[in-house]
Amino acid sequence: MMPRLTFIDDMTTYANQQNDQLGKVPRLTEQAALTLDSFNLRALSKRLKLKAAPQLDARLSKARYTELASDLHAKRESAEAQ
């Protein structure tokens, strides 16, 4: 679950830095977690699927997803090489 949450946060943060409309989605993972009364991975996963996924899908085409993911991957590799 944590890699998924980190990935969503990384994608939306990077998109915001690139002035992409995906970056306009306000802290999806934090919002999903705050709506839960107690820590429950199953409930968090369900909340993400019901609320976060549609917001991401509405703003992120397959081509743009591939582009953002490639950029993030390249930046990470560059940072690790230094």
Side-chain angles (χ1 to χ4, degrees):
M1 176 63 79
M2 289 308 295
R4 287 182 189 172
L5 297 174
T6 301
F7 175 73
I8 291 169
D9 281 341
D10 287 350
M11 289 290 283
T12 56
T13 299
Y14 182 74
N16 188 41
Q17 293 168 354
Q18 301 298 312
N19 294 319
D20 188 277
Q21 74 175 30
L22 177 63
K24 309 274 186 278
V25 178
R27 299 184 311 261
L28 289 176
T29 55
E30 184 179 334
Q31 287 180 2
L34 291 173
T35 63
L36 302 176
D37 293 330
S38 62
F39 182 75
N40 181 315
L41 288 178
R42 185 172 292 151
L44 180 58
S45 179
K46 183 177 179 181
R47 180 73 179 168
L48 288 170
K49 286 179 185 176
L50 290 174
K51 297 292 182 180
Q55 291 183 52
L56 291 173
D57 288 345
R59 292 174 173 85
L60 186 63
S61 68
K62 176 82 171 163
R64 186 61 178 144
Y65 164 80
T66 302
E67 183 181 343
L68 288 170
S70 294
D71 287 351
L72 281 171
H73 184 70
K75 286 182 186 288
R76 189 194 76 209
E77 285 184 340
S78 175
E80 288 175 351
Q82 295 179 2

